Amino acid sequence: MRPFRTPYPAGGTRHRPGRRSLARWRRGVTAAMVAVLATAAAALPAQAAAPGGIYTGLDGCPVNSAVMKDPTHLQVGCMTSTTNGGSMTIGSHVVPITSPIRLQFGVYWDASAPVVDFPSGTTANVYRTVPPSKGQTLTSKPIEVDIPGIGNIIPGVTSVYADVELAGPITEFVPLAAGEPHPAFVMPIKLHLYNALFGLKCYIGSDRAPIVLRPTTGTTSPPPPAGPISGDPGVIGIEADPNGHETIVASFTDASLVDNSLAVPRANGCGLLGTLDPLINLVFGLPSAAGHNAVVFSDTDVSLAISPSLADLTSALAASS
């Protein structure tokens, strides 16, 4: 039998560090780690505190955007909104909105001073939008959608998860169209569908052929067979800057925006080489013409900060942090 060999030299002894030397070693390692972490932290850029008070939620305002810095703008600002309920109807199929949908972006009123005239005889500014400085313009969680005609036994297999994504920039932002039949904004979207069989690129709508939403807090005038439905601007408030800046904040609490004039295009990219597109089109009745679909954004809270000066807006946000 081959003898067992110790890893130590014959007649040698194994060195065991004493408790004191081991403790000193541990303290030295700990001190070195602390020094390294402190150096790394010092090298990181300082994070500015998020705006608070009447500016809460506007931390994504793109005040450093080159578009916002154009000195010819008559007004600049930033907006955030959260929709907590509602639904989307495609033909006879109703999909409830079960998780919050958030929008955030910057705005500017350009030198041409565009406005919209309302039937009531009043006018409102039409703003252009700028993507936020951090995060996405639209964020939401996927919504589970039952497949028509199939019992939902296994979520994600006998149902579909739909995620709302932008299919282009938000345009024609008219926040003071409150209660008027004019859209508050125009927003192209597409629905990203997730299912065990659909693959990763299954959509209803696309960047080239989006679902275009024109929601209003007033009363709609849809094509037949749909009839008019009404939104609600909610509780409207105007607050002046508490530190003396020219910036003001308009808020809309518990508002409801509606649109039943939208068309819903065909599915695309579902299954291998789009082989499941016809099946999705069949079960959801796609394409679905205008007058057969609707969207309702209920329990919506909006905060809009507006200033005649980008420097003033920037200072107001910083002072509230």
Side-chain angles (χ1 to χ4, degrees), residues 61-63 65-79 105-110 125 127-128 130 246-248 304-314 317:
C61 190
V63 292
S65 166
V67 176
M68 294 278 281
K69 291 180 179 179
D70 187 332
T72 67
H73 294 335
L74 303 176
Q75 293 178 358
V76 292
C78 38
M79 193 280 310
F105 48 78
V107 303
Y108 64 91
W109 193 35
D110 66 44
N125 297 350
Y127 294 90
R128 299 180 186 273
V130 182
E246 293 182 274
T247 302
I248 61 171
L304 171 69
I306 289 289
S307 176
S309 160
L310 181 61
D312 181 83
L313 174 65
T314 303
L317 293 171

Side-chain angles (χ1 to χ4, degrees), residues 253-279:
T253 306
D254 199 23
S256 177
L257 296 91
V258 296
D259 178 14
N260 59 347
S261 300
L262 62 142
V264 181
R266 298 178 184 273
N268 62 89
C270 304
L272 183 62
L273 301 177
T275 52
L276 295 181
D277 292 354
L279 175 62

Side-chain angles (χ1 to χ4, degrees), residues 1 25 29 38 45-46 48 99 108 193 215 232 267 288:
M1 177 182 294
W25 178 80
V29 171
S99 60
Y108 64 91
L193 305 183
D232 186 343
S288 185

Side-chain angles (χ1 to χ4, degrees), residues 27-53:
R27 287 196 297 270
V29 171
T30 301
M33 292 176 65
V34 170
V36 170
L37 291 174
T39 302
L44 293 174
Q47 296 295 319

Side-chain angles (χ1 to χ4, degrees), residues 17 47 86 94 113 171 187 269 284 294 305:
Q47 296 295 319
V94 180
T171 59
M187 183 169 70
F284 285 100

Side-chain angles (χ1 to χ4, degrees), residues 30-199:
T30 301
M33 292 176 65
V34 170
V36 170
L37 291 174
T39 302
L44 293 174
Q47 296 295 319
I54 63 174
Y55 302 104
T56 299
L58 297 178
D59 48 306
C61 190
V63 292
N64 293 318
S65 166
V67 176
M68 294 278 281
K69 291 180 179 179
D70 187 332
T72 67
H73 294 335
L74 303 176
Q75 293 178 358
V76 292
C78 38
M79 193 280 310
T80 182
S81 73
T82 302
T83 293
N84 296 293
S87 63
M88 184 170 187
T89 301
I90 301 175
S92 61
H93 195 68
V94 180
V95 180
I97 296 174
T98 56
S99 60
I101 298 175
R102 187 189 181 202
L103 291 174
Q104 60 170 342
F105 48 78
V107 303
Y108 64 91
W109 193 35
D110 66 44
S112 66
V115 297
V116 60
D117 298 317
F118 300 132
S120 61
T122 60
T123 63
N125 297 350
V126 181
Y127 294 90
R128 299 180 186 273
T129 68
V130 182
S133 59
K134 62 179 183 179
Q136 298 179 325
T137 301
L138 185 154
T139 54
S140 66
K141 293 182 178 179
I143 302 169
E144 188 176 5
V145 181
D146 292 342
I147 300 175
I150 299 177
N152 186 9
I153 301 173
I154 306 175
V157 177
T158 53
S159 66
V160 177
Y161 286 96
D163 198 6
V164 181
E165 298 180 5
L166 281 182
I170 295 173
T171 59
E172 300 179 49
F173 180 54
V174 188
L176 296 184
E180 298 285 350
H182 193 277
F185 53 81
V186 177
M187 183 169 70
I189 66 167
K190 53 190 177 184
L191 300 179
H192 195 172
L193 305 183
Y194 299 90
N195 179 279
L197 302 176
F198 289 178

